Amino acid sequence: MQSETFTKSFLRAIGIASAAILIFVIYLIRYPILQVLYLLVTNPLAIATTDLFKVIIFPGLLYMSLIPLIAEWVERKLVARVQVRIGPYYVGGWEGFLQPIADLFKLLFKEVIIPKNSDRLVFLFSPILAFTVAAIPTVLVPYSKTFVIWNYAYGVLLFFALLAFFPLVVLLAAWSSNNKYSLIGGLRALYQQASYEIPIFLSVLPSVMLAGSLNFIGIVEAQARIWFIAFAPISAIVFFVAMLAEMERVPFDMPEADSELVSGWTTEYSGIAWGLYQFGIYVKLLAFAGVFATLFLGGFLGPSFLPHFIWAFIKVLIVVLILLSTRAFWPRIRIDQLVRGGWKFLIPLAILNIILLFIFQPYLSAILR
Amino acid sequence: MDYLIPVAIAVFSAVAAILALEARRMVYGAISLALFFAGLSLFFFYLDLPYLAVFQLIVYVGAIAVLIMFTVMIVGEKETKEGRLSLLLLGVLGFITIVGSFVFAIEYFSSLPVAQTAPSFNFIDLSKAVVSQYGLLLIVLACLLTASAYGAITLARREEVQK
């Protein structure tokens, strides 16, 4: 009973705080809003170049919330077909394509159960933090020269620095649930994410070296003649594997191994709190897929019969699809195999590619420019 | 309005730092420490030092704060005793004195004439110097750091055995 009143007062406080923040934000962006309203009357096509459109619609919030919903349906359908099942079928008529939205509404109306003796404040705050922390790095990923929310000079560094917050949030969620499965899952997630950050940094280095820039758009423009995956194939593979491990997807899903740990650090979460975690993980997947496409697959570049942002979109979707398909094709590995694989194989391989680039550097500069 | 941002960051960092020391539960202390590091990084962003800011985030928030929290969770937290108010007041007084003297020093020195041509500085030169000129020193320092880490682990383990 006490926890119920606490939940209610907490939600009320969150509601009041977010309303206040919303009003303050609207006050801060009053001029962009007026600009969009003015453009709506005079030149509706020019709205796409305004900052407000970018933040709210295309590389921003709407896109970021729609793609996870679609990705979830695609994943379920794909895994089902591989396992000779049908998958979601009824909701929405055609192949159950509205199933994720039905799930979203189900989660919204379910009760968020707070376990006894848990740290309630941290328990309720960490899902919100998880979604925020997963969504913030997405602002740095470019979808074309104009469709990028924040074109920061040190974007590559900042992207991975912001992702460093995620294990902290996972650990908080795990600790505050007051459950042994959650804590074990959280500690495993921490091991995994901390040890796979090193191969990720090392495998990003070849692209940065070849482009001579830490800016995502600079890296894309350096790939005008040939994609960097041709020079750094080993790094691309290392980045892909480390990316799977960072996102805790199969075959690296030990932190939420269903058969061992119930569901890892999200064991005690229910309702929309759990939904926010899932949402956050899919948003992180989208961000990582965008970075992979930018660093190795030429980003938004492509033949000129399609606009830049459509090329970026296609590449990101292909990477997302490959990332999702691993869940159907691979079994889960053990935690010791994971740690050994990270330290003994991925890091030396990433360093090998850097050394190869050093050796062939004189020839490469002739090809690139 | 220009004054508002650094003051807000400063207040945020100071509150987080005080909480990191004074929080009753160790996990809250660890969270506050992470927030304090994030506040420092915001300061560096405000001062237009992006490298420093980003590495502050990667190293301190991504590694140090996580490690501290990891340790707290592995060892198991003990609720600390309530701090004495007089000590807290003493600490706040000392803090104000130190910050005040710094502000006074800055005011004093900024009134002195300064050489206008500051030496130019860039990260490429710094990296080259670290790798070439001070390369040996860097390796020696790294060995020293590793040795001290091993020493700390050894000391900690011995204490455990004696219990």
Side-chain angles (χ1 to χ4, degrees):
Chain A
M1 205 60 205
Q2 198 189 352
S3 87
E4 198 177 319
T5 53
F6 178 81
T7 317
K8 271 181 187 164
S9 54
F10 177 81
L11 289 179
R12 196 171 296 139
I14 287 280
I16 292 168
S18 41
I21 291 170
L22 195 69
I23 290 168
F24 183 63
V25 166
I26 288 175
Y27 170 73
L28 282 182
I29 61 170
R30 59 197 185 279
Y31 294 119
I33 290 175
L34 286 177
Q35 186 198 4
V36 166
L37 288 178
Y38 173 72
L39 284 175
L40 201 65
V41 180
T42 54
N43 186 5
L45 276 178
I47 288 178
T49 58
T50 56
D51 286 341
L52 205 61
F53 179 86
K54 283 188 246 168
V55 171
I56 292 177
I57 298 176
F58 178 45
L61 281 171
L62 189 70
Y63 172 75
M64 234 154 58
S65 358
L66 271 181
I67 293 293
L69 290 177
I70 298 167
E72 203 207 330
W73 174 75
V74 169
E75 182 184 10
R76 286 169 75 170
K77 211 66 192 170
L78 193 83
V79 173
R81 284 294 152 90
V82 170
Q83 295 167 349
V84 205
R85 292 185 286 118
I86 295 174
Y89 195 68
Y90 295 104
V91 186
W94 179 72
E95 296 288 328
F97 76 105
L98 288 181
Q99 186 66 46
I101 293 172
D103 285 348
L104 178 69
F105 277 101
K106 182 198 79 177
L107 287 175
L108 274 174
F109 291 115
K110 270 179 97 170
E111 186 193 353
V112 178
I113 299 163
I114 304 177
K116 211 175 175 184
N117 292 332
S118 63
D119 195 307
R120 289 176 293 184
L121 194 68
V122 180
F123 185 84
L124 287 175
F125 244 120
S126 47
I128 302 168
L129 268 182
F131 180 69
T132 318
V133 163
I136 288 174
T138 318
V139 302
L140 294 159
V141 180
Y143 281 84
S144 85
K145 252 185 208 172
T146 50
F147 282 122
V148 52
I149 299 173
W150 188 22
N151 181 15
Y152 186 52
Y154 307 101
V156 178
L157 276 179
L158 190 64
F159 181 87
F160 293 103
L162 289 173
L163 279 175
F165 277 93
F166 207 75
L168 209 65
V169 178
V170 169
L171 208 56
L172 279 182
W175 170 79
S176 64
S177 310
N178 195 24
N179 177 323
K180 62 184 171 197
Y181 296 121
S182 297
L183 191 59
I184 294 171
L187 293 180
R188 280 186 183 188
L190 181 71
Y191 272 134
Q192 196 165 319
Q193 295 189 2
S195 63
Y196 273 70
E197 238 160 57
I198 303 162
I200 277 208
F201 269 104
L202 286 176
S203 56
V204 166
L205 209 56
S207 298
V208 173
M209 277 161 55
L210 286 166
S213 165
L214 280 169
N215 179 2
F216 278 121
I217 290 185
I219 289 174
V220 170
E221 280 173 346
Q223 302 178 63
R225 199 172 277 182
I226 187 160
W227 293 354
F228 284 160
I229 195 168
F231 301 126
I234 307 172
S235 283
I237 294 168
V238 170
F239 188 84
F240 192 83
V241 174
M243 186 161 80
L244 280 174
E246 279 276 305
M247 287 181 301
E248 300 161 21
R249 293 198 67 79
V250 182
F252 304 108
D253 69 330
M254 282 78 75
E256 41 185 291
D258 319 44
S259 46
E260 303 163 20
L261 294 177
V262 193
S263 67
W265 47 273
T266 54
T267 302
E268 291 288 355
Y269 283 90
S270 55
I272 195 61
W274 182 83
L276 275 176
Y277 276 126
Q278 291 302 308
F279 223 63
I281 287 168
Y282 278 100
V283 168
K284 205 177 157 189
L285 183 135
L286 183 66
F288 261 123
V291 167
F292 186 84
T294 307
L295 291 180
F296 297 108
L297 301 180
F300 51 75
L301 297 175
S304 61
F305 59 86
L306 282 178
H308 278 164
F309 72 92
I310 291 184
W311 279 116
F313 186 61
I314 290 170
K315 284 173 188 170
V316 169
L317 281 194
I318 289 171
V319 177
V320 166
L321 203 64
I322 299 172
L323 281 172
L324 293 178
S325 68
T326 55
R327 183 170 157 199
F329 302 144
W330 298 96
R332 184 187 306 138
I333 62 171
R334 288 198 315 269
I335 188 100
D336 62 317
Q337 288 171 327
L338 168 107
V339 175
R340 197 185 304 141
W343 289 99
K344 286 195 179 166
F345 293 101
L346 291 187
I347 293 178
L349 279 177
I351 292 172
L352 177 74
N353 204 335
I354 296 169
I355 293 170
L356 285 177
L357 277 183
F358 261 120
I359 294 170
F360 293 110
Q361 196 190 15
Y363 312 104
L364 289 184
S365 54
I367 300 171
L368 274 173
R369 284 177 192 90
Chain B
M1 197 67 188
D2 285 347
Y3 239 78
L4 213 66
I5 298 166
V7 168
I9 300 171
V11 169
F12 171 76
S13 307
V15 168
I18 290 170
L19 272 180
L21 291 174
E22 291 293 325
R24 293 282 298 280
R25 307 193 67 169
M26 277 165 84
V27 173
Y28 285 160
I31 300 167
S32 314
L33 192 69
L35 287 179
F36 166 64
F37 288 145
L40 271 191
S41 138
L42 276 181
F43 244 129
F44 290 139
F45 269 118
Y46 181 76
L47 294 173
D48 209 5
L49 298 167
Y51 271 104
L52 215 53
V54 169
F55 281 102
Q56 172 83 22
L57 275 186
I58 293 175
V59 175
Y60 283 89
V61 180
I64 305 264
V66 169
L67 270 182
I68 286 172
M69 202 172 280
F70 187 68
T71 319
V72 170
M73 279 170 197
I74 287 283
V75 175
E77 59 166 342
K78 296 164 199 152
E79 214 151 287
T80 45
K81 279 186 290 184
E82 208 165 335
R84 288 224 303 273
L85 195 68
S86 54
L87 276 178
L88 181 69
L89 283 177
L90 203 68
V92 169
L93 217 68
F95 176 77
I96 290 170
T97 318
I98 292 168
V99 168
S101 52
F102 265 117
V103 169
F104 178 75
I106 290 167
E107 284 289 316
Y108 177 71
F109 283 114
S110 58
S111 63
L112 295 179
V114 185
Q116 285 300 312
T117 52
S120 68
F121 169 79
N122 66 25
F123 281 93
I124 297 168
D125 288 347
L126 180 72
S127 318
K128 275 180 185 164
V130 165
V131 174
S132 59
Q133 199 177 343
Y134 301 104
L136 193 68
L137 196 66
L138 195 72
I139 294 169
V140 171
L141 276 177
C143 289
L144 192 70
L145 205 64
T146 318
S148 58
Y150 271 118
I153 292 169
T154 319
L155 284 175
R157 283 183 77 86
R158 186 177 289 167
E159 197 178 32
E160 204 176 77
V161 169
Q162 276 176 353
K163 275 177 188 172

